[in-house]
Amino acid sequence: STNALMEQLRLKYQQKPWSETLKLVHFCMDKPRRQPGRSDPDSPLVSCMEKIQRTLNAKSLFSVMNRLESLSKQKGLNAHVSPSGTACYITSTMFYIEVQLEKDGNVTDVKLAHLGEAPVVCDDMVQHLRTKNYDAFGKILEDLSNLYQIPGNSEMKAKGYLALQALEKDLYSMFLLDRTQDVNRVTEVLNGKVGHLVPRTGGTPMNIEFYISPYQVLEAELDPGSQVCGTKTVVTIEGTNSLHKLPLSPLLVDSQAREDSNPAFLPLTDELSMDLPAFFVLKFHQPIPMSSSSIEQIQRIQITGLELAPLYELIIQSTLQEKCGEGFSTHKSCFFVSLPDCPKHCYFINKGSEKSDLAGALVSKIPFSHPKCVPGVIEILRHQVAYNTLISSCVSEKHINEDDSELLYFEVLPHKNTSFRVFFLHPVEENLACVIIDVITSREVQCHLHLNPQDPTLNSSDDFITRVVKRCMSVPVVMRAIFRNVTKVKADS
């Protein structure tokens, strides 16, 4: 029986040290017992080994080495221990990583070398391994492997890496174009041609931070030591089934922009480029809800596999998953928002349909083939994320009213292009009032308050509402400001 077999195994190995058991598991993983009709016979063993490695707190040299070897195999890489036993080499055909350890298992140094390049010290990987953050270290191994997921031989993969280096140099040059010594990070994020750019270091890919909300800016100001970051994208390269002409050397002519403030590039000649089965990609940590019109603006190389849906439904889905996690229901349309010194707000978001003018899709990456495309794409992304920020400000995890306190009701529905309407009951009369918010760009917003001509004023001019929107990018805060002005008028009268 199974119980008798397990008892025999326990008796057999109870006197053996744990290190020998680990070696046996490793041996079984390297030589899996294949069974007919099973495509992945060693998957249960691999899964079991992963759980064991995660549970163990790797402190000794032996356990750290085992953790590195196991992690490397999970990511499809090879791992070798040096004869001295204090260095682990994680290798592929295109790069290798050298991890140096002390006798007690502490990591002293990590170096990365791409094919044909000298090894460089990688502080990010050193930090992850010293803090036992193996998930982050594994993510770096994935990113490094993905750099070379290009069809063809090693030479073709090396050309792809060369193209990525050329792109990174051009993007960094554009980042420095209009940068001054006294410019701060928030200004770069919101106004820079390529946002706030952080070059690739070691195994961490280049990333661009291109939008940050007013509340995130305030959070950073109140806590200077905090790591508050806005919306980011990662710059990388991916393999394709078709050929694209990619630059193999930097194309930016010089560090000075032309009179029209746009950078000048060399023509993409055969000497400076090559047809490769790859394209450059801006990848997002979380898919961004984008309207179909925004997608059309950036679709120089077709973005495939997109499924259209009502844009507001996608924004609600994305916001709730960020706030509440994957398991939270995203099919709600009514949300309750609590603000200080104000009755609770109830927002009904009219999603529309996928056939409406405001359809959209979740975009996880944007392909392109020339560095000149990036500033325009960044501006479109800023515009979309600013619009999404306003709509998502009406979304909360509370979709059931938990008390009987006074409520203010609002309906949010699309208007046209990147504008939307917020309907609410006039505070004095029984007619509806409406605020139209038009997001022209990420930095320019226009607002218009519409009332029944017979109804009394709300003491809120269009200019006042516009200033509040720009300052907070939050619909509930704007509505609170309008109702407060009404309360002031009542008090004065």
Side-chain angles (χ1 to χ4, degrees):
S1 68
T2 303
N3 290 337
L5 179 60
M6 293 302 297
E7 183 61 29
Q8 289 179 23
L9 286 172
R10 276 192 287 270
L11 291 173
K12 181 177 181 180
Y13 290 102
Q14 66 180 355
Q15 302 300 327
K16 291 183 178 291
W18 181 243
S19 59
E20 288 191 22
T21 305
L22 272 178
K23 287 181 180 178
L24 177 62
V25 174
H26 274 293
F27 177 79
C28 294
M29 288 176 67
D30 289 334
K31 299 190 179 295
R33 180 181 158 198
R34 301 199 171 274
Q35 299 177 5
R38 293 187 61 182
S39 58
D40 191 12
D42 56 332
S43 58
L45 190 58
V46 171
S47 175
C48 182
M49 188 63 187
E50 287 177 11
K51 290 179 182 179
I52 293 173
Q53 293 286 8
R54 285 179 180 276
T55 304
L56 290 174
N57 185 9
K59 291 183 178 180
S60 68
L61 177 63
F62 176 79
S63 59
V64 172
M65 284 296 187
N66 274 324
R67 191 74 176 95
L68 291 174
E69 287 183 293
S70 174
L71 190 60
S72 302
K73 289 179 181 179
Q74 291 172 33
K75 306 304 178 184
L77 301 170
N78 299 314
H80 311 280
V81 179
S82 67
S84 65
T86 57
C88 180
Y89 294 92
I90 301 171
T91 64
S92 77
T93 56
M94 303 305 298
F95 68 89
Y96 76 86
I97 297 170
E98 177 185 346
V99 182
Q100 291 285 350
L101 300 99
E102 295 176 339
K103 295 290 186 181
D104 58 1
N106 290 327
V107 175
T108 59
D109 202 7
V110 180
K111 293 180 180 178
L112 167 67
H114 291 274
L115 187 65
E117 294 184 358
V120 294
V121 176
C122 299
D123 293 330
D124 52 348
M125 288 195 268
V126 171
Q127 183 63 27
H128 292 325
L129 289 179
R130 283 179 178 172
T131 58
K132 312 297 183 187
N133 190 348
Y134 291 105
D135 288 338
F137 183 75
K139 180 64 170 64
I140 287 179
L141 296 184
E142 283 183 23
D143 290 337
L144 286 170
S145 297
N146 289 337
L147 289 181
Y148 298 102
Q149 297 303 312
I150 297 173
N153 54 23
S154 296
E155 183 180 355
M156 187 68 73
K157 296 178 188 294
K159 293 291 186 184
Y161 179 68
L162 194 63
L164 178 63
Q165 284 182 312
L167 170 71
E168 291 172 337
K169 289 176 182 176
D170 277 337
L171 293 182
Y172 189 67
S173 297
M174 280 192 274
F175 170 61
L176 298 176
L177 272 180
D178 48 5
R179 196 171 190 242
T180 57
Q181 288 185 343
D182 58 345
V183 69
N184 61 32
R185 172 177 143 256
V186 172
T187 302
E188 289 176 345
V189 171
L190 297 175
N191 300 284
K193 283 184 174 61
V194 289
H196 177 72
L197 184 147
V198 178
R200 177 165 54 91
T201 56
T204 304
M206 172 181 281
N207 68 79
I208 293 173
E209 186 180 5
F210 59 86
Y211 184 81
I212 187 167
S213 72
Y215 280 113
Q216 290 173 311
V217 174
L218 179 61
E219 186 180 350
E221 291 174 352
L222 295 175
D223 187 6
S226 62
Q227 296 293 321
V228 179
C229 64
T231 308
K232 289 184 178 183
T233 182
V234 169
V235 181
T236 186
I237 189 170
E238 286 190 359
T240 63
N241 295 325
S242 55
L243 296 176
H244 304 282
K245 188 177 286 295
L246 301 182
L248 295 181
S249 61
L251 299 177
L252 199 66
V253 174
D254 52 39
S255 59
Q256 299 299 319
R258 297 181 299 185
E259 292 182 1
D260 60 0
S261 78
N262 293 319
F265 295 94
L266 294 170
L268 203 60
T269 62
D270 292 338
E271 291 76 19
L272 297 176
S273 66
M274 182 177 178
D275 288 331
L276 293 172
F279 48 35
F280 303 130
V281 175
L282 297 177
K283 295 183 72 173
F284 308 108
H285 298 293
Q286 298 292 335
I288 294 180
M290 297 192 70
S291 66
S292 53
S293 59
S294 294
I295 294 171
E296 288 171 4
Q297 291 181 61
I298 62 177
Q299 210 163 16
R300 296 178 183 270
I301 298 176
Q302 189 174 9
I303 305 174
T304 58
L306 297 182
E307 184 177 342
L308 289 180
L311 178 63
Y312 283 17
E313 182 177 313
L314 298 176
I315 294 174
I316 291 172
Q317 171 186 331
S318 179
T319 304
L320 287 177
Q321 287 181 354
E322 183 179 348
K323 289 183 177 180
C324 312
E326 294 288 340
F328 197 83
S329 173
T330 60
H331 301 293
K332 307 298 180 184
S333 299
C334 185
F335 304 97
F336 295 90
V337 178
S338 299
L339 292 174
D341 306 320
C342 174
K344 187 180 291 185
H345 292 189
C346 177
Y347 287 91
F348 175 77
I349 300 180
N350 192 322
K351 299 177 182 178
S353 68
E354 64 273 7
K355 295 182 180 180
S356 67
D357 293 335
L358 202 61
L362 290 173
V363 177
S364 57
K365 61 184 178 182
I366 297 175
F368 63 100
S369 59
H370 196 288
K372 69 181 180 182
C373 301
V374 175
V377 171
I378 291 296
E379 197 55 40
I380 294 169
L381 288 171
R382 281 185 181 130
H383 189 185
Q384 183 68 64
V385 175
Y387 184 87
N388 294 356
T389 299
L390 283 167
I391 304 302
S392 64
S393 68
C394 305
V395 179
S396 78
E397 61 274 21
K398 296 180 181 178
H399 54 87
I400 299 174
N401 191 20
E402 298 171 348
D403 56 48
D404 297 325
S405 61
E406 183 182 356
L407 278 174
L408 297 177
Y409 291 92
F410 304 89
E411 182 179 10
V412 178
L413 70 164
H415 183 45
K416 57 183 178 180
N417 298 327
T418 51
S419 65
F420 61 96
R421 295 168 289 182
V422 183
F423 285 98
F424 57 97
L425 192 64
H426 193 286
V428 179
E429 302 295 333
E430 294 185 356
N431 293 319
L432 286 177
C434 173
V435 173
I436 296 180
I437 301 176
D438 188 5
V439 185
I440 299 170
T441 70
S442 62
R443 294 172 291 275
E444 184 180 359
V445 181
Q446 289 183 357
C447 301
H448 302 283
L449 175 63
H450 296 271
L451 303 173
N452 188 303
Q454 284 75 42
D455 291 345
T457 178
L458 296 182
N459 197 33
S460 294
S461 66
D462 291 349
D463 184 58
F464 167 77
I465 299 173
T466 299
R467 291 199 310 271
V468 177
V469 170
K470 288 183 177 180
R471 192 179 302 127
C472 66
M473 294 300 284
S474 168
V475 173
V477 172
V478 172
M479 294 298 112
R480 181 180 66 177
I482 293 173
F483 275 79
R484 277 183 172 176
N485 283 352
V486 174
T487 305
K488 289 178 183 177
V489 172
K490 288 181 179 179
D492 292 341
S493 59

